[in-house]
Amino acid sequence: MATISSTDNLFATASIMGQQFFHFAGNGISSLSELISRVRHHPLAPKGMVTLTVRNSSQGWSQSRAFYLGA
């Protein structure tokens, strides 16, 4: 995934089986791991395979990443 700077404008969603449970729009996140940590600690985060889609409007890229949320 491309780099993320804390001043970049990000738009991110996370979903499991097509059901969105997380949304972020703004700045202040400096890495993909920080964004994944926010998803993992979201109070509505269910268990399963998560699709995280990130759009960085400051740098002009968009990517999706899948990861597993377990117990």
Side-chain angles (χ1 to χ4, degrees):
M1 185 168 279
T3 61
I4 298 174
S5 171
S6 63
T7 58
D8 290 347
N9 290 319
L10 299 179
F11 300 91
T13 59
S15 60
I16 290 182
M17 293 182 6
Q19 295 286 23
Q20 182 178 319
F21 67 92
F22 175 85
H23 176 76
F24 176 84
N27 54 23
I29 293 181
S30 57
S31 68
L32 177 63
S33 61
E34 184 179 343
L35 188 56
I36 290 174
S37 178
R38 287 194 184 198
V39 172
R40 288 188 186 279
H41 293 97
H42 192 273
L44 300 177
K47 294 178 173 84
M49 186 60 72
V50 175
T51 300
L52 175 64
T53 303
V54 182
R55 181 168 68 93
N56 186 327
S57 64
S58 299
Q59 295 185 22
W61 56 261
S62 176
Q63 291 189 6
S64 293
R65 178 75 50 97
F67 61 95
Y68 186 77
L69 271 181

